[in-house]
């Protein structure tokens, strides 16, 4: 049976629908929007996506995304290097930075411990965290994991690993239900979460 959607349009819809939160109907709407938009706008979008992929690297200190290593946050001498906020993902850094309530530095773990998904300690960015704690005079780790079983397991693991070294290990008081996400929390919630942090 011949398809009513031309192959080139179908290809665009298929690729768009692979993006997170974009279902088939949303992908169709986006594709038709791009079809009607000026060609220069589509070229600029394609070019911006490719440039982003080519330019972005990971900071060798904190594993955040950046165009120059170390990243601007690690280079910022106004920030307190003794307090590290440990997060799962660069999106969590964006959420906390947008809220503008944290003056320390970050460390991106790259995920959480998850036996079910086969994520073990060796898959997380722990070597660099160990090195920073030893070399940068870190006095406190604020664990800002998303509320999940994996997040809890990771908090237990990190607390056990670092408290014995005389580091204060605290956790944010996010007040979100299990399965909630840091990146979707508003600024006020994140401010309360950081100010209300308690020992892990
Ligand atoms: Zn960095």
């Amino acid at each position: 049976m011949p398809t009513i959607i031309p192959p080139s349009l179908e290809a665009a819809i298929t690729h768009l629908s692979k993006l997170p939160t974009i279902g088939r109907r949303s992908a169709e709407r986006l594709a038709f929007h791009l079809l009607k938009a000026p060609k220069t706008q589509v070229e600029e979008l394609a070019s911006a996506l490719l440039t982003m992929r080519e330019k972005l690297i990971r900071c060798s200190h904190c594993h955040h995304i950046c165009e120059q290593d170390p990243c601007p946050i690690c280079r910022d001498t106004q920030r307190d290097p003794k307090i590290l906020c440990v997060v799962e993902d660069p999106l969590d850094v964006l959420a906390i930075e947008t809220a503008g309530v944290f003056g320390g530095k970050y460390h991106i773990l790259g995920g959480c411990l998850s036996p079910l998904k086969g994520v073990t300690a060796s898959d997380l960015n722990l070597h660099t965290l160990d090195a920073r704690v030893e070399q940068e005079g870190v006095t406190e780790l604020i664990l800002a994991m998303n509320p999940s079983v994996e997040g809890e397991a990771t908090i237990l693991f990190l607390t056990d690993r670092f408290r014995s070294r005389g580091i204060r290990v605290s956790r944010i008081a996010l007040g979100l239900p299990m399965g909630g996400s840091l990146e979707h929390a508003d600024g006020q919630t994140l401010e309360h979460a950081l100010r209300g942090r308690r020992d892990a």
Side-chain angles (χ1 to χ4, degrees):
M1 191 175 76
T3 174
I4 54 167
I5 298 180
S8 57
L9 178 57
E10 179 59 40
I13 292 169
T14 301
H15 283 290
L16 287 167
S17 65
K18 288 177 186 167
L19 299 173
T21 76
I22 306 290
R24 171 82 196 183
R25 289 309 303 270
S26 296
E28 287 173 0
R29 274 198 290 274
L30 285 170
F32 276 93
H33 171 81
L34 292 169
L35 204 53
K36 283 187 281 184
K39 196 177 173 204
T40 50
Q41 192 182 323
V42 181
E43 285 167 349
E44 281 164 13
L45 172 63
S47 166
L49 292 173
L50 284 171
T51 304
M52 173 187 78
R53 282 304 304 260
E54 280 160 15
K55 284 198 166 179
L56 288 184
I57 53 172
R58 290 298 183 128
C59 174
S60 59
H61 290 246
C62 71
H63 304 276
H64 192 33
I65 44 172
C66 57
E67 291 186 1
Q68 198 188 344
D69 184 19
C71 73
I73 294 176
C74 285
R75 287 202 308 269
D76 188 346
T77 54
Q78 301 297 310
R79 304 184 77 111
D80 186 352
K82 292 187 169 59
I83 303 180
L84 291 187
C85 183
V86 181
V87 296
E88 296 174 31
D89 198 85
L91 278 172
D92 301 326
V93 174
L94 296 186
I96 297 171
E97 282 301 290
T98 304
V101 292
F102 180 63
K105 297 193 175 184
Y106 294 92
H107 193 85
I108 291 157
L109 273 187
C112 269
L113 293 175
S114 174
L116 281 177
K117 293 177 190 159
V119 182
T120 65
S122 62
D123 297 310
L124 303 179
N125 298 322
L126 284 171
H127 288 306
T128 38
L129 182 57
D130 284 337
R132 294 180 77 189
V133 165
E134 275 178 30
Q135 293 160 15
E136 296 175 18
V138 172
T139 56
E140 180 178 359
L141 293 179
I142 302 174
L143 307 181
M145 286 34 265
N146 288 307
S148 66
V149 174
E150 290 89 352
E152 287 301 317
T154 308
I155 287 171
L156 279 175
F157 174 81
L158 292 174
T159 304
D160 191 46
R161 188 180 183 99
F162 290 102
R163 185 163 287 156
S164 57
R165 301 185 202 177
I167 310 289
R168 182 187 177 197
V169 184
S170 61
R171 58 184 296 170
I172 59 168
L174 199 50
L176 287 177
M178 283 299 218
S181 169
L182 206 70
E183 69 180 88
H184 296 126
D186 60 58
Q188 205 175 20
T189 303
L190 289 172
E191 184 176 1
H192 287 153
L194 276 161
R195 288 201 204 290
R197 68 184 185 268
R198 54 191 161 81
D199 286 344

